[in-house]
Amino acid sequence: MSGEAGESATERVPAAGPSRTRVALLGSGELSRELVTALQRLGAEVIAVDRYADAALHGIADRSVVVDLSDNDELAAAIRWLQPKVVVVGSEVVATDALTAVVDTGFTELAPGIRAARLAADPEGLRRLAADELGLPTAPFWFAGSVEELRAVAEHGGFPMVVKPVGGALGEGRSVMVRDSDIEPAWQRAVAAAGAGVPPRVLAETVVEFDSEVTLLAVHRDGADGPALDFCAPIGHRTEENPNGQLTVELWQPYPMSAVALDAAKSVAARVARALGGRGLFGVELLVHGNEVYFTGVNVRPYDAALLTLRTQRLSGFELQARAILGLAIDAIMVSPGAARLLYSRRPPGPSAAETAPDGVDVVADALSVTESDVVVFGHHEGHPRRRLGLALATGPDVTVARDRAGQVAAALGKLWP
């Protein structure tokens, strides 16, 4: 920990008043900003814990602490000192042995839960849990740790085959191999997308026919008769990457599904959420083809798809997570069809970026001239290997109109990053 007892200089003195539930958030990335705000609105005291002093949330949390999240002893000592009522895992680099010690105290609760926290940092283990232990429908898959292993997988599984990094953003680093000459480029693309310091490992899947990729947000909470689940309307998404490295994830809600497919999707999501355990929001990733549903992954906290719910639902995914963490009543009501375009980049800003960038206010004003639109411009830590740049949001009378409007907003907003 750095500084006196590890706290940074951004601590704010809490106002006198009722006792506040203390929540320690491990990992203070930009995406958790909405969660911090939601928790504070519900009366919680939020302590942002991260490995660097200028983390995105340190300016808005009630207190901030600098800790090496990957160091078991340091993290455990910080949690013992802070004595939070709830520890929320917001990063994949958290030392899970320290979290086990937290659970063993019986005083501090963990969200989403120790099994989910462990598997959040182990996508391979998570996939095997789903396929082998839970028996969920998945495309045939293999993992490979080298080009040679990937070549052996291709010889065994046959072409075509999808290759993607074990971790990473939606759609990032993905390739479709259709011949032997595609194997090495697919490996290089996936490994590069995983970022520096990540062990080189890829997931290879047999190509299955599907209509869309879908995220189903499931809220696991304490109900009157035990653990309960609530589901948001399904969110469709697709990913594009242009030659300069900018990734765009398009999202829309609701994604139209047959009653049979929706029931199957809810069954898959429920089995995953119950197996992982703990309170919170799970983003279950699926491939949908007619009435068929295939499991592809799960996020154990709000991720990209939850950003769309900032405008489509009465309670956003972040507000749902906050209420589930605190054991409060929720509803997953969608108030308007909507769509979003999330602009994502791995390319670091060039030295002359500030000189060539257009006036931000003028660009945002142009984007907001679209009917029922909104935008978010993200901040980020300079050392982060992947960067969310901006979010274009729009609602409408139906999904088709909302998607068209979100495209217009994104075209305007994208001028901020020429």
Side-chain angles (χ1 to χ4, degrees), residues 26-27 69-72 75 79 87-99 117 121:
L26 308 185
L69 297 177
S70 63
D71 186 298
N72 277 297
L75 179 57
I79 294 172
V87 170
V88 179
V89 181
S91 171
E92 288 83 15
V93 299
V94 174
T96 52
D97 286 347
L99 300 182

Side-chain angles (χ1 to χ4, degrees), residues 261-399:
L262 185 57
D263 284 346
K266 289 181 178 179
S267 175
V268 168
R271 291 163 68 185
V272 171
R274 287 170 180 147
L276 294 177
R279 301 196 302 264
L281 183 139
F282 296 86
V284 181
E285 307 293 343
L286 308 162
L287 297 179
V288 177
H289 178 57
N291 291 333
E292 297 178 346
V293 173
Y294 300 91
F295 172 85
T296 62
V298 60
N299 292 304
V300 300
R301 57 184 177 273
Y303 203 59
D304 291 348
L307 291 166
L308 174 56
T309 65
L310 293 171
R311 291 296 173 268
T312 57
Q313 297 187 174
R314 193 186 80 79
L315 297 176
S316 74
F318 304 94
E319 292 169 313
L320 291 173
Q321 186 193 25
R323 291 194 179 204
I325 288 169
L326 298 176
L328 303 175
I330 71 164
D331 72 60
I333 297 171
M334 191 185 76
V335 295
S336 175
R341 298 284 184 97
L342 177 60
L343 307 180
Y344 219 120
S345 180
R346 284 177 52 84
R347 185 181 63 177
S352 60
E355 301 173 8
T356 60
D359 184 273
V361 174
D362 289 344
V363 170
V364 170
D366 187 25
L368 294 179
S369 67
V370 179
T371 303
E372 295 186 35
S373 65
D374 202 356
V375 302
V376 177
V377 178
F378 294 101
H380 57 87
H381 188 262
E382 290 180 358
H384 201 284
R386 290 184 294 269
R387 299 183 296 126
R388 292 177 186 85
L389 302 176
L391 178 71
L393 288 157
T395 53
D398 55 53
V399 165

Side-chain angles (χ1 to χ4, degrees), residues 127-219:
R127 188 63 175 266
R128 297 196 186 282
L129 164 72
D132 300 338
E133 182 177 328
L134 302 181
L136 299 180
T138 67
F141 67 92
W142 300 265
F143 291 92
S146 66
V147 174
E148 291 72 23
E149 287 184 15
L150 183 58
R151 183 168 285 109
V153 165
E155 290 175 359
H156 173 74
F159 298 111
M161 184 170 285
V162 176
V163 176
K164 52 190 175 184
V166 171
L170 286 173
E172 187 177 23
R174 180 183 302 178
S175 301
V176 178
M177 303 188 305
V178 296
R179 59 183 69 86
D180 288 344
S181 59
D182 295 332
I183 295 174
E184 186 162 354
W187 166 265
Q188 296 295 343
R189 180 181 176 85
V191 170
V198 178
R201 196 155 181 82
V202 303
L203 170 65
E205 297 176 303
T206 297
V207 172
V208 296
E209 188 175 1
F210 64 93
D211 304 319
S212 182
E213 297 174 278
V214 172
T215 296
L216 186 62
L217 299 179
V219 188

